[in-house]
Amino acid sequence: NPYILATLLFGLGLGTTITFASSHWLLAWMGLEINTLAIIPLMAQHHHPRAVEATTKYFLTQATAAAMLLFASTTNAWLTGQWDIQQMSHPFPLTLITLALALKIGLAPMHTWLPEVLQGLDLTTGLVLSTWQKLAPFALLLQIQNVNPTILITLGLASTLVGGWGGLNQTQLRKVLAYSSIAHLGWMILILQYSPSLTLLALLTYFVMTFSTFLVFKLNKSTSINALAISWTKAPILTSLTPLVLLSLGGLPPLTGFMPKWLILQELAKQDLAPLATLAALSALLSLYFYLRISYAMTLTMSPNNLTGVTPWRFSSPQLTLPLAIATTATISLL
């Protein structure tokens, strides 16, 4: 029903906006809750056991994180007598809140729900989960000052490493995208303490790149690496561009994805964290391997072909191809 869909999407936007606009922990928590409640029916709209399972997993983790956040903010109010987000001073609630938000966006070591949930969803809802759902927790993370830097660096480094290693083992594209999301979030968290504007830049470029990747897979109707082998029959021009999109996600120089990584490494070196920058750069190589693997499956191998299957690309829909064209161009040449 279009009315129900419109209501849910409105709720999704409203929840995030409330969190953005609030300076009081209770309001911020309420925004996150509205957001979660709005996306749950969207996730379960295809009544498939896998989708329902993914929705349940998502609901349980988000409820846990929200409860933790509420507990931490009430503790903070009890210890310091105020609810203001930016005036956090006590280390205990600060740590708890950071961990709750990390669980919400799926940073390692609280990441295990993300690949499972993403695998059960269709690509459109998966895209919303990978992009829009990260905004509200990030707004809160950016607002809380004086968090212990060790926690953020541990979370960030663990995420880049787990995102790299976890993705090596996958054949399902949605799981690969989930691990790539974990790795990118790790980069953002690493730099959060030292340069919030760089975190926002990384988030923005990640959104553009993820958007085009999801749309490519949606146009191909492919969910596993095997299905990519025949994608050239479905969209020949797109298939030749996809490796560039994937390498941009991996962060290779002439492409957009290189920009945030370059600036983040530079900033980390400025902060005398050269070993950390080295580790982060090496962990990016892990991710690069599985992006190359997907590119290889898509364009550098010939699939067994049949002439009847060569024409579906003539019938692709314009409402999908226009945003795809914009996103792909941005992903490749925004640097």
Side-chain angles (χ1 to χ4, degrees):
N1 190 328
Y3 293 116
I4 294 177
L5 184 67
T7 312
L8 291 174
L9 289 173
F10 173 70
L12 205 61
L14 182 72
T16 307
T17 317
I18 288 176
T19 306
F20 274 11
S22 60
S23 58
H24 189 289
W25 272 119
L26 209 52
L27 266 174
W29 170 80
M30 191 177 77
L32 290 171
E33 282 296 282
I34 293 173
N35 195 306
T36 308
L37 288 177
I39 193 146
I40 280 173
L42 289 173
M43 290 166 78
Q45 64 184 339
H46 300 286
H47 296 296
H48 186 274
R50 195 73 187 78
V52 176
E53 181 191 340
T55 311
T56 314
K57 285 177 178 170
Y58 183 75
F59 174 68
L60 291 172
T61 48
Q62 296 297 308
T64 310
M68 208 164 141
L69 190 81
L70 190 61
F71 170 66
S73 47
T74 40
T75 310
N76 178 56
W78 178 43
L79 290 169
T80 60
Q82 46 84 27
W83 284 88
D84 203 284
I85 293 179
Q86 299 191 341
Q87 306 296 329
M88 298 281 289
S89 54
H90 201 283
F92 175 67
L94 263 172
T95 308
L96 259 185
I97 279 174
T98 312
L99 292 176
L101 292 170
L103 175 59
K104 256 198 178 310
I105 52 179
L107 286 168
M110 286 84 79
H111 66 284
T112 38
W113 60 273
L114 186 60
E116 295 293 322
V117 168
L118 212 54
Q119 179 57 31
L121 305 177
D122 68 314
L123 289 166
T124 320
T125 326
L127 176 61
V128 173
L129 190 72
S130 303
T131 55
W132 185 258
Q133 291 301 93
K134 308 265 188 263
L135 284 172
F138 252 100
L140 293 176
L141 274 171
L142 282 164
Q143 282 184 73
I144 53 178
Q145 270 98 25
N146 55 35
V147 187
N148 184 355
T150 321
I151 295 172
L152 288 180
I153 284 177
T154 311
L155 285 172
L157 203 55
S159 298
T160 54
L161 290 165
V162 163
W165 262 309
L168 295 178
N169 212 5
Q170 301 301 333
T171 55
Q172 295 292 327
L173 291 177
R174 283 166 293 185
K175 282 193 176 174
V176 167
L177 284 169
Y179 280 109
S180 124
S181 165
I182 294 166
H184 278 273
L185 289 172
W187 280 85
M188 292 170 216
I189 293 295
L190 272 180
I191 201 67
L192 187 69
Q193 200 75 34
Y194 308 106
S195 172
S197 52
L198 269 186
T199 298
L200 283 174
L201 176 75
L203 191 65
L204 194 68
T205 48
Y206 163 70
F207 278 7
V208 172
M209 296 185 297
T210 309
F211 191 67
S212 57
T213 316
F214 267 96
L215 286 183
V216 165
F217 293 153
K218 193 173 164 56
L219 196 73
N220 275 332
K221 298 185 179 60
S222 46
T223 53
S224 74
I225 292 187
N226 292 346
L228 287 176
I230 52 164
S231 59
W232 65 272
T233 60
K234 300 176 191 165
I237 300 166
L238 192 65
T239 307
S240 55
L241 279 177
T242 312
L244 289 174
V245 173
L246 289 163
L247 292 180
S248 181
L249 260 175
L252 279 192
L255 308 163
T256 313
F258 176 57
M259 174 173 53
K261 290 193 171 167
W262 183 25
L263 294 169
I264 285 172
L265 290 174
Q266 191 182 348
E267 183 63 36
L268 285 174
K270 270 187 204 163
Q271 301 285 348
D272 289 337
L273 294 169
L276 183 65
T278 314
L279 273 170
L282 289 175
S283 72
L285 291 175
L286 293 165
S287 312
L288 196 59
Y289 175 79
F290 60 77
Y291 295 129
L292 276 169
R293 195 169 133 210
I294 298 175
S295 315
Y296 191 82
M298 245 182 129
T299 51
L300 300 173
T301 48
M302 277 293 283
S303 67
N305 50 33
N306 57 337
L307 286 172
T308 47
V310 176
T311 49
W313 59 274
R314 299 170 197 276
F315 312 117
S316 59
S317 59
Q319 68 266 26
L320 189 61
T321 44
L322 178 69
L324 179 61
I326 297 168
T328 310
T329 316
T331 305
I332 293 173
S333 58
L334 216 57
L335 181 63

